[in-house]
Amino acid sequence: MIESDTSKLPKEELDSLKNYAHGLIKTVREPLLVLDRNQNIVAYNANFEKKFKINESEGGVSVFNFNQKQLHTDEFREILEELQNSEEPISDRTVEVKFSENEKKKFSVNASLLSLPTKTSLTLLSFKRLKSGRLSRQEKVFNKVVDNILSNAPAAICILRGPEHTFEVANENYLKLIAHRNIIGKTVKEALPEVGNQGFIDLLDTVYSTGEPYIGNEIAINLQDENGAFRNSYLNFVYEPTRNKKSKIDGVFVHAIDVTEQVLARKKVEESEDRLKEVIDAVPGIIWITNEKGESIFFNKNWYSYTGQNVEEAKVFGWLETIHPEDYERAKAIFLEAQKERKPYSSTFRLQSANGDYRWVIDKGSPKFHSNGEYEGMIGTVIDVHDEKLKENLVREKEHRMQGIVKEATVATAIYTGLDMNIELANNAMLKLWGKDDSVLRKRLDQALPELDGQPFLELLRNVYRTGETYWGKEDKVDLLINGEMQTGFYNFTYKPLRDKNGEIYGILNMAIDVTESVKSKMLLKESEFHFRQMADLMPGMVSKTDARGSDIYFNKNWLDFTGKASESLKEIGWVEFIHPDEKQTYLDAWENCLGTGCDLEMQLRLKNKEGKYIWHLSRCEAVKEDDGSVKMWIAANTEIDKIKEEEKRKEEFLKMVSHELKTPVTSIKGYVQLLLSLIKKQQEAEVSKLPLQPSLERINHQVSRLTRLISEILDLSRIRENQLELKKEEFNLNELVAETIQDINYTNTQHKIDLESEVQSLVRADRDRIGQVIINLIMNAIKYSPGSLNINVKVVQEARDKVKVIIKDFGIGISTENHKKIFKRFYRVGVKSEETYSGFGIGLYLANEIMERHNGEIKVKSRLGEGSEFSFILDATQITS
Ligand code: ADP
């Protein structure tokens, strides 16, 4: 039972040491063990032998190999090592001792070094059995609480005991994690063989040995599931060393959270982000992303290749360093401002490219907000606009120059921008036209010129802006408030859309020319032309107007009525076409001559009317000349002379007849005179009384009175023409005058029977001789034009209350209705050829009518061809009795 540590000790010394040890432990009741410095067994007491069931008696063996390596545990080895090192006594350390495969007992161990006078030392170990099964109530409650906590904890929790990391406790979550394998009492290596080569055991060893906790974040672990299949999980975990009462590490507390889902989800996001970045890299422009602090966290590849910066240089605010020094402060301020305001951002500056050149770029960014509304930073692009910018500068320069030119231009010019029509520019001419000063610049047009409200221009402008179609105003009327007064002007103007380099409309160019004067004079001209036309239309003749070259430009209404053509077609046909072929060539020659010389034209010609009948006209054409003598236009007037011509013809006939009529009585007088002369000659030979002197003289008398009447009628005719017919009015009895006249006629006309019937007796106030003349004319006509019927009725009747009417009715040849009016005209006779049958001049009725008119009387005819005629005249009666 006694073990010696070495054979180095002398025999006697060893023996005395053993005796010492035996003597020391024999009387102690607790199990005691004594070891030498080499941890070999020196002695143990009876109780130790009993408690540890020692059935072997080898001495001097290592305590670790003793009694089937019962004490070959880490805890026990640690106690011994610690004691050796510190040489301080150790108390109440738990050591688990294995008695069989299923039986383990826990002992509380106290240990102390016992220094011997022989300069050697012994280790004294006492064992006290820990009654594990019987826990105090308090302990039980405590354990229950711990259990509860553990099992309900969201994390997977376990406690590994000892240097081999034996599972002591594991909560449900932990068991779930490892597919509910039976792990309690097993070491990690035994329980989870698949993690052996994944580095976890090394980590546990390190924690166990160093006492430093380990925190693992999203560590991948490959675990087998119930079916033995391997599954990748990600864990956030803590390995926290646990210590015993003596602060010695006795295990590891494992607290793990399965973050597989988050990690996989995040990995997916990262993957898609990676893919997005790949896409972004492939974009043929520069793209950047900042975080909520405005720091750049991403640039696509293009940034690096464009600027030559590397990732480190560009990140956060490093990219600003590539901006041209002259643009730097401005660009930075704009960027930071936008970042602060979290507003869309746009800025133009020069950026240094990889080869050192500065190029103009547009940098644009938009704020990014998380779905929960939180600001996340900006995402933006950088676009190289260097070439465009240079062009733009050129354009600007040009525009500048153009503006200068426009300003000086005399044509009123203005530029409006935007749909609001802001007055971007208005030159002096335009300001003058508006009657405004330059305070209207940069105002809206409707504010600068409020008087445009109600006029169509603002709408026209907006329309041009929308449609892009230029508007041309021609002589448009514009009312403008000039010097506080509304003034009307007329303008020719354009509204032309202005487009930027992308073709987008940004404004309107307005150019205007004041044509008020010309419009006003045109209006005057129109007015005078209107008057001319009105006059021309009212004129009885056919008036036409041509331009200087003789082209037809105007025909008056009479022309249209005459030809039956509309103005347009008449212009087309031309008036020459209406000239009778006999006169046409002569006219054209004369007209040609006029156009060449500007002299006037006058000729008689026949023009064809709408019925196809040629009517004689006197055509006069006169040139209207300008101040310098050049022909401005021609005015032609065609007056119908058909009636004149007819009258002329009648005149000729009249003269023929006069001579004929005068010849007859004169010849007759001459004959009777000759007869009388020869009779007087014979008087000397015979008796005068037997000679027919009386009837001859009566005939001479009759013919002479005919001649006298004829001559007085011709005299009256010329008096009427000269308006010199005077009336000698007196009151007389009309009935008496009628009776006397009939009586006179009866003297010479014995063939016709003239009846007089007086229904009333009437006094009239009139020229007795002339009324008598009228009665003679009417009765003589009745006689003359009724050769086949010998009755003539004369009646005096009352017409109205104070009017008397004399009716002369015959039953002769009668007059057709169309001639009823014409017979009262001068020299008019029905049927030209009848002059042989019915002698006369055609002045009797004309005179009768004139005389009646001058008495405020009336002369009428009722007649039908072949049925006789009834002529009557009406006079005011001064007295009338029946
Ligand atoms: P004239 O000298 O021709 O009779 P008048 O002036 O007296 O001139 O008459 C004009 C014409 O009127 C005549 O030529 C004749 O044709 C017509 N006329 C006048 N009286 C009658 C009548 N009683 N019956 C038929 N025709 C008449």
Side-chain angles (χ1 to χ4, degrees), residues 657 710 713 777-786 808-816 819 822-831 834-835 838-848 861 863 865 868-871:
M657 266 183 302
L710 198 69
E713 274 182 355
N777 268 333
L778 295 180
I779 297 175
M780 291 304 278
N781 277 349
I783 292 168
K784 194 160 57 174
Y785 297 106
S786 53
I808 296 101
K809 189 174 163 72
D810 66 61
F811 304 92
I813 58 169
I815 309 156
S816 64
N819 285 317
K822 290 181 186 168
I823 52 173
F824 292 98
K825 289 194 172 157
R826 224 167 22 144
F827 310 127
Y828 190 87
R829 308 195 71 225
V830 178
S834 63
E835 87 238 14
Y838 308 101
S839 62
F841 305 138
I843 55 170
L845 287 181
Y846 169 74
L847 281 176
V861 61
S863 179
L865 201 60
S869 311
E870 185 189 291
F871 282 85

Short mmCIF file of all heavy atoms in Angstrom, two decimals, residues 657 710 713 777-786 808-816 819 822-831 834-835 838-848 861 863 865 868-871, ligand 1:
data_model
loop_
_atom_site.label_atom_id
_atom_site.label_comp_id
_atom_site.label_asym_id
_atom_site.label_seq_id
_atom_site.Cartn_x
_atom_site.Cartn_y
_atom_site.Cartn_z
N MET A 657 -92.05 114.38 -143.08
CA MET A 657 -93.49 114.54 -143.06
C MET A 657 -93.91 116.00 -143.04
O MET A 657 -94.86 116.41 -143.69
CB MET A 657 -94.06 113.83 -141.85
CG MET A 657 -94.49 112.44 -142.22
SD MET A 657 -95.24 111.64 -140.84
CE MET A 657 -93.94 111.70 -139.66
N LEU A 710 -100.83 123.71 -137.41
CA LEU A 710 -99.58 122.94 -137.51
C LEU A 710 -98.40 123.79 -137.05
O LEU A 710 -97.59 123.37 -136.23
CB LEU A 710 -99.42 122.51 -138.97
CG LEU A 710 -98.47 121.38 -139.23
CD1 LEU A 710 -99.05 120.07 -138.66
CD2 LEU A 710 -98.28 121.22 -140.75
N GLU A 713 -98.51 124.39 -133.39
CA GLU A 713 -98.10 123.19 -132.64
C GLU A 713 -96.57 123.07 -132.62
O GLU A 713 -95.97 122.78 -131.59
CB GLU A 713 -98.71 121.93 -133.28
CG GLU A 713 -100.10 121.67 -132.75
CD GLU A 713 -100.73 120.40 -133.33
OE1 GLU A 713 -100.11 119.77 -134.22
OE2 GLU A 713 -101.81 120.03 -132.88
N ASN A 777 -107.46 118.02 -130.88
CA ASN A 777 -106.52 116.93 -131.17
C ASN A 777 -107.16 115.58 -130.96
O ASN A 777 -107.01 114.68 -131.80
CB ASN A 777 -105.27 117.05 -130.29
CG ASN A 777 -104.19 117.86 -130.97
OD1 ASN A 777 -104.14 117.89 -132.19
ND2 ASN A 777 -103.34 118.50 -130.17
N LEU A 778 -107.84 115.41 -129.83
CA LEU A 778 -108.42 114.11 -129.53
C LEU A 778 -109.52 113.75 -130.53
O LEU A 778 -109.59 112.62 -131.01
CB LEU A 778 -108.94 114.07 -128.08
CG LEU A 778 -107.86 114.20 -127.00
CD1 LEU A 778 -108.50 114.15 -125.59
CD2 LEU A 778 -106.80 113.10 -127.09
N ILE A 779 -110.38 114.76 -130.88
CA ILE A 779 -111.47 114.45 -131.81
C ILE A 779 -110.92 114.20 -133.22
O ILE A 779 -111.34 113.27 -133.93
CB ILE A 779 -112.54 115.56 -131.80
CG1 ILE A 779 -113.19 115.65 -130.40
CG2 ILE A 779 -113.65 115.29 -132.86
CD1 ILE A 779 -114.19 116.78 -130.21
N MET A 780 -109.93 115.01 -133.59
CA MET A 780 -109.33 114.85 -134.91
C MET A 780 -108.68 113.47 -135.04
O MET A 780 -108.79 112.83 -136.09
CB MET A 780 -108.28 115.94 -135.19
CG MET A 780 -108.84 117.36 -135.38
SD MET A 780 -110.06 117.49 -136.68
CE MET A 780 -109.05 117.62 -138.10
N ASN A 781 -108.02 113.02 -133.94
CA ASN A 781 -107.41 111.67 -133.96
C ASN A 781 -108.49 110.62 -134.10
O ASN A 781 -108.35 109.66 -134.85
CB ASN A 781 -106.61 111.41 -132.69
CG ASN A 781 -105.21 111.98 -132.78
OD1 ASN A 781 -104.77 112.39 -133.87
ND2 ASN A 781 -104.50 112.01 -131.64
N ALA A 782 -109.60 110.83 -133.34
CA ALA A 782 -110.69 109.86 -133.39
C ALA A 782 -111.24 109.73 -134.81
O ALA A 782 -111.52 108.62 -135.28
CB ALA A 782 -111.80 110.27 -132.41
N ILE A 783 -111.29 110.88 -135.45
CA ILE A 783 -111.78 110.87 -136.84
C ILE A 783 -110.76 110.17 -137.72
O ILE A 783 -111.06 109.25 -138.49
CB ILE A 783 -112.03 112.31 -137.33
CG1 ILE A 783 -113.21 112.95 -136.58
CG2 ILE A 783 -112.27 112.35 -138.85
CD1 ILE A 783 -113.36 114.44 -136.77
N LYS A 784 -109.46 110.62 -137.57
CA LYS A 784 -108.38 110.14 -138.43
C LYS A 784 -108.21 108.62 -138.34
O LYS A 784 -108.03 107.94 -139.34
CB LYS A 784 -107.09 110.84 -138.03
CG LYS A 784 -106.00 110.68 -139.07
CD LYS A 784 -104.88 111.73 -138.94
CE LYS A 784 -104.21 111.77 -137.63
NZ LYS A 784 -103.07 112.68 -137.58
N TYR A 785 -108.34 108.07 -137.11
CA TYR A 785 -107.98 106.66 -136.93
C TYR A 785 -109.21 105.76 -136.88
O TYR A 785 -109.11 104.62 -136.42
CB TYR A 785 -107.09 106.48 -135.69
CG TYR A 785 -105.78 107.22 -135.83
CD1 TYR A 785 -105.55 108.39 -135.14
CD2 TYR A 785 -104.81 106.76 -136.74
CE1 TYR A 785 -104.37 109.09 -135.30
CE2 TYR A 785 -103.64 107.48 -136.93
CZ TYR A 785 -103.41 108.62 -136.21
OH TYR A 785 -102.27 109.32 -136.40
N SER A 786 -110.39 106.31 -137.38
CA SER A 786 -111.54 105.41 -137.52
C SER A 786 -112.18 105.60 -138.90
O SER A 786 -113.32 106.06 -139.00
CB SER A 786 -112.56 105.64 -136.38
OG SER A 786 -112.91 106.99 -136.31
N ILE A 808 -113.62 111.04 -125.20
CA ILE A 808 -113.82 111.01 -126.66
C ILE A 808 -113.64 109.56 -127.07
O ILE A 808 -112.54 109.00 -126.92
CB ILE A 808 -112.82 111.92 -127.39
CG1 ILE A 808 -113.05 113.39 -126.99
CG2 ILE A 808 -112.91 111.78 -128.90
CD1 ILE A 808 -112.12 113.93 -126.00
N LYS A 809 -114.70 109.00 -127.59
CA LYS A 809 -114.66 107.58 -127.88
C LYS A 809 -114.92 107.36 -129.37
O LYS A 809 -115.84 107.92 -129.95
CB LYS A 809 -115.74 106.87 -127.06
CG LYS A 809 -115.70 105.38 -127.09
CD LYS A 809 -116.75 104.85 -126.10
CE LYS A 809 -117.09 103.41 -126.33
NZ LYS A 809 -116.09 102.46 -125.96
N ASP A 810 -113.99 106.53 -129.97
CA ASP A 810 -114.22 106.17 -131.38
C ASP A 810 -114.27 104.67 -131.50
O ASP A 810 -114.01 103.95 -130.52
CB ASP A 810 -113.14 106.76 -132.29
CG ASP A 810 -111.79 106.17 -132.05
OD1 ASP A 810 -111.60 104.93 -132.23
OD2 ASP A 810 -110.85 106.92 -131.63
N PHE A 811 -114.59 104.24 -132.70
CA PHE A 811 -114.70 102.79 -132.91
C PHE A 811 -113.78 102.39 -134.05
O PHE A 811 -114.13 101.56 -134.89
CB PHE A 811 -116.16 102.42 -133.17
CG PHE A 811 -117.05 102.88 -132.06
CD1 PHE A 811 -117.68 104.14 -132.12
CD2 PHE A 811 -117.24 102.10 -130.92
CE1 PHE A 811 -118.46 104.58 -131.06
CE2 PHE A 811 -118.05 102.56 -129.88
CZ PHE A 811 -118.66 103.79 -129.95
N GLY A 812 -112.57 102.97 -134.03
CA GLY A 812 -111.64 102.79 -135.13
C GLY A 812 -110.64 101.67 -134.94
O GLY A 812 -110.95 100.63 -134.35
N ILE A 813 -109.42 101.96 -135.38
CA ILE A 813 -108.42 100.89 -135.46
C ILE A 813 -107.86 100.46 -134.09
O ILE A 813 -107.34 99.37 -133.93
CB ILE A 813 -107.24 101.29 -136.38
CG1 ILE A 813 -106.55 102.57 -135.87
CG2 ILE A 813 -107.69 101.47 -137.84
CD1 ILE A 813 -105.23 102.88 -136.55
N GLY A 814 -107.99 101.33 -133.14
CA GLY A 814 -107.52 100.97 -131.80
C GLY A 814 -105.99 100.97 -131.65
O GLY A 814 -105.26 101.12 -132.63
N ILE A 815 -105.53 100.81 -130.41
CA ILE A 815 -104.08 100.86 -130.12
C ILE A 815 -103.73 99.66 -129.23
O ILE A 815 -104.45 99.38 -128.25
CB ILE A 815 -103.71 102.16 -129.35
CG1 ILE A 815 -104.27 103.39 -130.09
CG2 ILE A 815 -102.20 102.30 -129.14
CD1 ILE A 815 -104.47 104.60 -129.21
N SER A 816 -102.67 98.97 -129.57
CA SER A 816 -102.29 97.82 -128.74
C SER A 816 -101.78 98.32 -127.37
O SER A 816 -101.25 99.44 -127.26
CB SER A 816 -101.21 96.99 -129.43
OG SER A 816 -100.06 97.77 -129.57
N ASN A 819 -98.44 100.05 -126.70
CA ASN A 819 -98.24 101.41 -127.20
C ASN A 819 -98.98 102.47 -126.41
O ASN A 819 -98.86 103.65 -126.72
CB ASN A 819 -98.66 101.48 -128.68
CG ASN A 819 -97.60 100.82 -129.56
OD1 ASN A 819 -96.41 101.02 -129.36
ND2 ASN A 819 -98.05 100.04 -130.54
N LYS A 822 -96.45 104.83 -125.02
CA LYS A 822 -95.52 105.40 -126.00
C LYS A 822 -96.16 106.51 -126.84
O LYS A 822 -95.48 107.46 -127.23
CB LYS A 822 -95.02 104.29 -126.93
CG LYS A 822 -94.09 103.31 -126.22
CD LYS A 822 -93.61 102.25 -127.18
CE LYS A 822 -92.80 101.16 -126.49
NZ LYS A 822 -92.60 100.01 -127.39
N ILE A 823 -97.47 106.40 -127.07
CA ILE A 823 -98.11 107.37 -127.97
C ILE A 823 -98.07 108.79 -127.43
O ILE A 823 -98.26 109.75 -128.16
CB ILE A 823 -99.56 106.98 -128.32
CG1 ILE A 823 -100.35 106.71 -127.02
CG2 ILE A 823 -99.61 105.77 -129.25
CD1 ILE A 823 -101.84 106.48 -127.27
N PHE A 824 -97.81 108.92 -126.12
CA PHE A 824 -97.76 110.27 -125.54
C PHE A 824 -96.36 110.88 -125.66
O PHE A 824 -96.12 111.97 -125.19
CB PHE A 824 -98.19 110.24 -124.07
CG PHE A 824 -99.65 109.89 -123.91
CD1 PHE A 824 -100.08 108.61 -123.60
CD2 PHE A 824 -100.62 110.88 -124.12
CE1 PHE A 824 -101.43 108.30 -123.47
CE2 PHE A 824 -101.98 110.57 -123.99
CZ PHE A 824 -102.39 109.29 -123.67
N LYS A 825 -95.44 110.10 -126.25
CA LYS A 825 -94.08 110.60 -126.40
C LYS A 825 -93.98 111.43 -127.66
O LYS A 825 -94.73 111.23 -128.60
CB LYS A 825 -93.10 109.44 -126.41
CG LYS A 825 -92.99 108.82 -125.05
CD LYS A 825 -91.83 107.91 -124.94
CE LYS A 825 -91.68 107.48 -123.49
NZ LYS A 825 -90.96 106.25 -123.38
N ARG A 826 -92.98 112.29 -127.64
CA ARG A 826 -92.77 113.17 -128.77
C ARG A 826 -92.50 112.38 -130.04
O ARG A 826 -91.70 111.44 -130.01
CB ARG A 826 -91.57 114.05 -128.46
CG ARG A 826 -91.83 115.49 -128.84
CD ARG A 826 -90.81 116.41 -128.25
NE ARG A 826 -89.57 115.79 -127.91
CZ ARG A 826 -88.39 116.38 -128.04
NH1 ARG A 826 -88.33 117.58 -128.55
NH2 ARG A 826 -87.30 115.78 -127.66
N PHE A 827 -93.07 112.69 -131.11
CA PHE A 827 -92.84 112.13 -132.44
C PHE A 827 -93.18 110.66 -132.54
O PHE A 827 -92.88 110.01 -133.52
CB PHE A 827 -91.38 112.32 -132.91
CG PHE A 827 -90.88 113.72 -132.78
CD1 PHE A 827 -89.71 114.01 -132.11
CD2 PHE A 827 -91.61 114.77 -133.36
CE1 PHE A 827 -89.25 115.30 -132.00
CE2 PHE A 827 -91.13 116.07 -133.25
CZ PHE A 827 -89.96 116.35 -132.56
N TYR A 828 -93.79 110.11 -131.48
CA TYR A 828 -94.08 108.68 -131.55
C TYR A 828 -95.37 108.46 -132.34
O TYR A 828 -96.39 109.06 -132.07
CB TYR A 828 -94.18 108.06 -130.16
CG TYR A 828 -94.23 106.55 -130.22
CD1 TYR A 828 -93.04 105.81 -130.24
CD2 TYR A 828 -95.45 105.88 -130.33
CE1 TYR A 828 -93.08 104.44 -130.35
CE2 TYR A 828 -95.50 104.50 -130.46
CZ TYR A 828 -94.30 103.78 -130.46
OH TYR A 828 -94.35 102.42 -130.58
N ARG A 829 -95.23 107.53 -133.27
CA ARG A 829 -96.41 107.15 -134.05
C ARG A 829 -96.44 105.64 -134.13
O ARG A 829 -95.41 105.01 -134.30
CB ARG A 829 -96.37 107.74 -135.46
CG ARG A 829 -96.12 109.25 -135.47
CD ARG A 829 -96.42 109.87 -136.81
NE ARG A 829 -97.84 109.89 -137.09
CZ ARG A 829 -98.38 109.54 -138.26
NH1 ARG A 829 -97.61 109.12 -139.22
NH2 ARG A 829 -99.67 109.59 -138.46
N VAL A 830 -97.64 105.11 -134.00
CA VAL A 830 -97.75 103.65 -134.06
C VAL A 830 -97.63 103.22 -135.51
O VAL A 830 -98.32 103.77 -136.37
CB VAL A 830 -99.09 103.16 -133.47
CG1 VAL A 830 -99.19 101.63 -133.59
CG2 VAL A 830 -99.22 103.59 -132.02
N GLY A 831 -96.71 102.25 -135.75
CA GLY A 831 -96.57 101.71 -137.10
C GLY A 831 -96.00 102.76 -138.04
O GLY A 831 -96.70 103.61 -138.55
N SER A 834 -97.36 103.47 -141.48
CA SER A 834 -98.74 103.94 -141.66
C SER A 834 -98.82 105.43 -142.00
O SER A 834 -99.90 105.97 -142.12
CB SER A 834 -99.54 103.66 -140.39
OG SER A 834 -98.99 104.37 -139.35
N GLU A 835 -97.63 106.04 -142.09
CA GLU A 835 -97.65 107.49 -142.30
C GLU A 835 -98.39 107.86 -143.60
O GLU A 835 -99.01 108.90 -143.70
CB GLU A 835 -96.24 108.10 -142.26
CG GLU A 835 -95.49 108.09 -143.55
CD GLU A 835 -94.20 107.33 -143.40
OE1 GLU A 835 -94.03 106.61 -142.38
OE2 GLU A 835 -93.36 107.44 -144.25
N TYR A 838 -102.19 107.39 -142.51
CA TYR A 838 -102.63 108.38 -141.51
C TYR A 838 -101.55 109.45 -141.43
O TYR A 838 -100.47 109.20 -140.90
CB TYR A 838 -102.81 107.73 -140.15
CG TYR A 838 -103.71 106.50 -140.17
CD1 TYR A 838 -103.19 105.22 -140.15
CD2 TYR A 838 -105.10 106.66 -140.26
CE1 TYR A 838 -104.02 104.11 -140.20
CE2 TYR A 838 -105.91 105.53 -140.33
CZ TYR A 838 -105.38 104.27 -140.29
OH TYR A 838 -106.19 103.19 -140.36
N SER A 839 -101.89 110.57 -141.96
CA SER A 839 -100.87 111.62 -141.91
C SER A 839 -100.79 112.16 -140.48
O SER A 839 -101.75 112.09 -139.72
CB SER A 839 -101.26 112.75 -142.87
OG SER A 839 -102.50 113.29 -142.45
N GLY A 840 -99.69 112.70 -140.12
CA GLY A 840 -99.51 113.25 -138.77
C GLY A 840 -98.04 113.29 -138.41
O GLY A 840 -97.22 112.66 -139.09
N PHE A 841 -97.74 114.00 -137.30
CA PHE A 841 -96.32 114.16 -136.88
C PHE A 841 -95.99 113.42 -135.58
O PHE A 841 -94.86 113.38 -135.14
CB PHE A 841 -96.00 115.63 -136.66
CG PHE A 841 -96.30 116.51 -137.84
CD1 PHE A 841 -96.90 117.75 -137.67
CD2 PHE A 841 -95.95 116.09 -139.12
CE1 PHE A 841 -97.15 118.57 -138.75
CE2 PHE A 841 -96.23 116.92 -140.21
CZ PHE A 841 -96.84 118.16 -140.04
N GLY A 842 -97.05 113.01 -134.96
CA GLY A 842 -96.79 112.35 -133.67
C GLY A 842 -96.52 113.36 -132.57
O GLY A 842 -95.79 113.06 -131.63
N ILE A 843 -97.11 114.55 -132.69
CA ILE A 843 -96.89 115.51 -131.60
C ILE A 843 -98.19 115.89 -130.90
O ILE A 843 -98.16 116.48 -129.82
CB ILE A 843 -96.17 116.80 -132.08
CG1 ILE A 843 -96.95 117.44 -133.22
CG2 ILE A 843 -94.74 116.50 -132.48
CD1 ILE A 843 -96.46 118.83 -133.58
N GLY A 844 -99.33 115.53 -131.49
CA GLY A 844 -100.62 115.93 -130.93
C GLY A 844 -100.82 115.43 -129.50
O GLY A 844 -101.10 116.21 -128.59
N LEU A 845 -100.67 114.15 -129.28
CA LEU A 845 -100.88 113.60 -127.93
C LEU A 845 -99.81 114.08 -126.95
O LEU A 845 -100.08 114.28 -125.78
CB LEU A 845 -100.88 112.06 -127.99
CG LEU A 845 -102.13 111.43 -128.61
CD1 LEU A 845 -102.03 109.90 -128.58
CD2 LEU A 845 -103.37 111.88 -127.84
N TYR A 846 -98.58 114.25 -127.49
CA TYR A 846 -97.49 114.74 -126.64
C TYR A 846 -97.87 116.10 -126.08
O TYR A 846 -97.78 116.34 -124.87
CB TYR A 846 -96.19 114.81 -127.45
CG TYR A 846 -95.07 115.53 -126.77
CD1 TYR A 846 -94.37 114.96 -125.70
CD2 TYR A 846 -94.70 116.82 -127.18
CE1 TYR A 846 -93.34 115.63 -125.07
CE2 TYR A 846 -93.66 117.50 -126.55
CZ TYR A 846 -92.99 116.91 -125.49
OH TYR A 846 -91.98 117.58 -124.87
N LEU A 847 -98.37 116.97 -126.98
CA LEU A 847 -98.75 118.32 -126.54
C LEU A 847 -99.93 118.25 -125.57
O LEU A 847 -99.94 118.93 -124.55
CB LEU A 847 -99.12 119.17 -127.76
CG LEU A 847 -97.92 119.73 -128.53
CD1 LEU A 847 -98.41 120.48 -129.77
CD2 LEU A 847 -97.09 120.65 -127.67
N ALA A 848 -100.92 117.41 -125.91
CA ALA A 848 -102.09 117.28 -125.05
C ALA A 848 -101.67 116.87 -123.64
O ALA A 848 -102.15 117.42 -122.64
CB ALA A 848 -103.05 116.25 -125.63
N VAL A 861 -105.82 106.77 -121.76
CA VAL A 861 -106.31 106.06 -122.93
C VAL A 861 -106.78 104.68 -122.53
O VAL A 861 -106.16 104.03 -121.68
CB VAL A 861 -105.24 105.99 -124.05
CG1 VAL A 861 -103.98 105.25 -123.60
CG2 VAL A 861 -105.81 105.33 -125.31
N SER A 863 -107.91 101.37 -124.80
CA SER A 863 -108.04 100.95 -126.20
C SER A 863 -107.55 99.53 -126.39
O SER A 863 -106.68 99.06 -125.65
CB SER A 863 -107.23 101.90 -127.08
OG SER A 863 -107.32 101.50 -128.42
N LEU A 865 -106.51 96.97 -129.82
CA LEU A 865 -106.25 96.99 -131.24
C LEU A 865 -107.49 96.48 -132.01
O LEU A 865 -108.02 95.41 -131.67
CB LEU A 865 -105.03 96.09 -131.55
CG LEU A 865 -104.31 96.36 -132.87
CD1 LEU A 865 -103.76 97.80 -132.94
CD2 LEU A 865 -103.17 95.37 -133.07
N GLY A 868 -111.33 100.14 -131.43
CA GLY A 868 -111.58 101.54 -131.13
C GLY A 868 -110.85 102.02 -129.90
O GLY A 868 -110.26 101.22 -129.17
N SER A 869 -110.93 103.34 -129.68
CA SER A 869 -110.18 103.92 -128.57
C SER A 869 -111.05 104.88 -127.79
O SER A 869 -112.00 105.45 -128.33
CB SER A 869 -108.97 104.70 -129.09
OG SER A 869 -108.26 103.92 -130.01
N GLU A 870 -110.67 104.99 -126.52
CA GLU A 870 -111.36 105.97 -125.69
C GLU A 870 -110.31 106.82 -125.01
O GLU A 870 -109.55 106.32 -124.17
CB GLU A 870 -112.24 105.26 -124.66
CG GLU A 870 -113.07 106.22 -123.85
CD GLU A 870 -113.77 105.53 -122.68
OE1 GLU A 870 -114.68 104.73 -122.91
OE2 GLU A 870 -113.33 105.78 -121.53
N PHE A 871 -110.20 108.10 -125.43
CA PHE A 871 -109.27 109.04 -124.80
C PHE A 871 -110.08 109.91 -123.86
O PHE A 871 -111.23 110.22 -124.14
CB PHE A 871 -108.58 109.91 -125.85
CG PHE A 871 -107.47 109.18 -126.57
CD1 PHE A 871 -107.73 108.38 -127.67
CD2 PHE A 871 -106.14 109.31 -126.13
CE1 PHE A 871 -106.71 107.70 -128.32
CE2 PHE A 871 -105.12 108.64 -126.79
CZ PHE A 871 -105.39 107.84 -127.88
P1 ADP B 1 -100.41 111.97 -135.19
O1 ADP B 1 -100.19 113.28 -135.75
O2 ADP B 1 -99.60 110.86 -135.67
O3 ADP B 1 -101.86 111.66 -135.05
P2 ADP B 1 -100.61 112.05 -132.31
O4 ADP B 1 -99.68 112.45 -131.30
O5 ADP B 1 -101.90 112.78 -132.28
O6 ADP B 1 -99.89 112.16 -133.67
O7 ADP B 1 -100.94 110.55 -132.13
C1 ADP B 1 -99.90 109.68 -132.00
C2 ADP B 1 -100.26 108.34 -132.50
O8 ADP B 1 -101.26 107.75 -131.69
C3 ADP B 1 -100.84 108.30 -133.83
O9 ADP B 1 -99.86 108.26 -134.82
C4 ADP B 1 -101.69 107.07 -133.84
O10 ADP B 1 -100.92 105.99 -134.23
C5 ADP B 1 -102.08 106.94 -132.42
N1 ADP B 1 -103.47 107.42 -132.17
C6 ADP B 1 -103.84 108.60 -131.68
N2 ADP B 1 -105.18 108.68 -131.52
C7 ADP B 1 -105.65 107.48 -131.95
C8 ADP B 1 -106.98 106.94 -132.09
N3 ADP B 1 -108.07 107.63 -131.71
N4 ADP B 1 -107.13 105.67 -132.58
C9 ADP B 1 -106.03 104.99 -132.96
N5 ADP B 1 -104.74 105.46 -132.86
C10 ADP B 1 -104.58 106.69 -132.40
#
